[in-house]
Amino acid sequence: MFLKGDFHIHSNASDGKYSPSQIINMAVKENVDILSLTDHDTTDGLDIAIESGRNLNLKVIPGIELSTTYKGEKIHLLGYFKNNEFNDPTFQKFLKNIKDYRIYRGEKIIHNLQKYFNINLNYNKILRESKGIIARPVIAKAIHDSYNYDWNYIFDKFIGDSSPAYIPNKHISLQDGISMLSSINSLIVLAHPILIKKVSIDEILKFSIHGIECIYPLNTTKNTEYFINKANQYNKIISAGSDFHGMCKKDNSHGNYIGEVFLNNKYIDIFLKKIKELSNYKMYPME
């Protein structure tokens, strides 16, 4: 029986600070006994996380956070796998295309920071240290390290959606993201619905999504109750995740430590049963 699960965590395989093995060690100290590593648009850290978890008797569910859009709104999907379905060649090719665009996008944002704000960053150094995953938290850290601006000010002023330096991500439709994850039998959970502002949750839940991240650090108690009610209304499973990145001591946008919010044993059992159920479906070629 698992008692404390955190199903939304980022490592330095994408835009987190810590390595997958460090994540596992930190989780153990927080008494988390099951977690999922869900890096942005990459599965590169999963093998190390799974092996590290096995060595410390902590269950690791392979996962990913996929960035999609719907009616101009960013919709993030959390995908979870029972085994190594994520190694599917077509899925990995899909992720490689996203990674290549992130590198291009990162270079453009860094150029724009110099152009509009006279902020000079070493693109090659950032690319090397981030292992090719140049997401905004990585750029924010580089700004913070060089200019000592407040973390949240950096996002609001320099790299937020309304900044002239900002370049949007590669656009993947919500339906295409769902179809891609479904093709490899992924359990699909709507990430941090509290951040969705432009479209109704009801509209999104009519898509083939299996669950909702009802329990999230930015929620109020009323928010959590609302999302749990929505999950029950639409027969979706309930999930929880800290969205831990670890890039700064006080992160107003994500959880500040692994297990800050968590799923209890009742909901963990439902979560795992759903993954097992989906893994028994026949997989169809994506091409």
Side-chain angles (χ1 to χ4, degrees):
M1 177 188 294
F2 298 103
L3 300 177
K4 187 176 183 180
D6 186 342
F7 296 98
H8 189 169
I9 300 171
H10 297 273
S11 76
N12 62 1
S14 64
D15 60 345
K17 179 178 180 179
Y18 299 101
S19 70
S21 58
Q22 287 175 309
I23 292 292
I24 301 304
N25 280 281
M26 295 165 73
V28 170
K29 291 178 181 178
E30 298 294 342
N31 296 314
V32 171
D33 55 0
I34 182 170
L35 62 75
S36 183
L37 187 66
T38 54
D39 279 311
H40 289 285
D41 306 320
T42 182
T43 60
D44 287 352
L46 291 181
D47 289 340
I48 295 174
I50 292 167
E51 181 62 25
S52 298
R54 188 178 295 120
N55 291 337
L56 292 176
N57 199 30
L58 187 152
K59 176 70 174 177
V60 176
I61 302 297
I64 191 169
E65 183 171 11
L66 199 62
S67 306
T68 74
T69 59
Y70 178 69
K71 294 186 175 180
E73 178 83 271
K74 296 176 185 176
I75 308 294
H76 286 195
L77 301 173
L78 293 162
Y80 303 98
F81 312 97
K82 185 176 186 297
N83 298 302
N84 64 346
E85 297 90 347
F86 57 87
N87 284 328
D88 179 272
T90 304
F91 184 59
Q92 288 300 320
K93 181 180 178 181
F94 168 77
L95 296 181
K96 175 68 164 53
N97 289 337
I98 295 175
K99 180 179 180 178
D100 290 345
Y101 184 82
R102 278 189 181 275
I103 293 173
Y104 161 79
R105 173 193 183 231
E107 185 174 17
K108 291 288 291 182
I109 291 175
I110 290 168
H111 171 78
N112 286 345
L113 286 168
Q114 195 282 326
K115 177 180 178 181
Y116 294 108
F117 300 108
N118 199 31
I119 291 176
N120 295 291
L121 302 175
N122 186 325
Y123 166 74
N124 289 325
K125 180 174 182 287
I126 295 172
L127 180 64
R128 183 173 62 254
E129 292 180 352
S130 67
K131 302 176 184 177
I133 306 294
I134 308 183
R136 280 190 285 181
V138 172
I139 296 173
K141 184 178 183 301
I143 297 172
H144 179 75
D145 291 347
S146 299
Y147 293 89
N148 202 32
Y149 287 115
D150 174 77
W151 184 265
N152 296 300
Y153 178 79
I154 290 170
F155 272 89
D156 293 341
K157 176 70 174 179
F158 300 129
I159 57 175
D161 291 7
S162 60
S163 168
Y166 175 67
I167 301 293
N169 260 322
K170 185 179 183 69
H171 287 296
I172 299 166
S173 74
L174 174 60
Q175 184 56 63
D176 284 348
I178 290 171
S179 296
M180 181 60 68
L181 290 170
S182 295
S183 69
I184 50 174
N185 295 347
S186 171
L187 168 64
I188 304 170
V189 170
L190 176 65
H192 38 60
I194 190 64
L195 301 181
I196 299 171
K197 307 296 184 184
K198 297 177 184 177
V199 297
S200 74
I201 298 299
D202 296 84
E203 189 171 352
I204 295 170
L205 293 179
K206 291 176 182 176
F207 284 82
S208 298
I209 292 171
H210 306 115
I212 311 173
E213 190 175 46
C214 300
I215 306 167
Y216 188 74
L218 301 188
N219 290 0
T220 64
T221 300
K222 286 187 176 180
N223 293 147
T224 298
E225 291 174 352
Y226 173 79
F227 294 129
I228 289 174
N229 287 336
K230 284 295 178 185
N232 291 331
Q233 177 185 347
Y234 286 93
N235 195 29
K236 309 294 185 182
I237 70 165
I238 292 166
S239 188
S242 64
D243 201 2
F244 175 75
H245 286 68
M247 298 299 282
C248 61
K249 290 183 179 179
K250 181 61 177 176
D251 188 345
N252 293 339
S253 301
H254 310 102
N256 287 291
Y257 58 92
I258 296 170
E260 180 174 345
V261 299
F262 60 89
L263 212 58
N264 64 26
N265 66 299
K266 171 186 172 183
Y267 291 124
I268 291 171
D269 287 346
I270 295 171
F271 185 96
L272 294 177
K273 285 177 183 176
K274 188 65 177 179
I275 290 179
K276 183 177 180 180
E277 171 191 323
L278 291 166
S279 72
N280 292 328
Y281 292 170
K282 181 179 179 181
M283 291 177 62
Y284 293 94
M286 288 184 275
E287 289 185 336

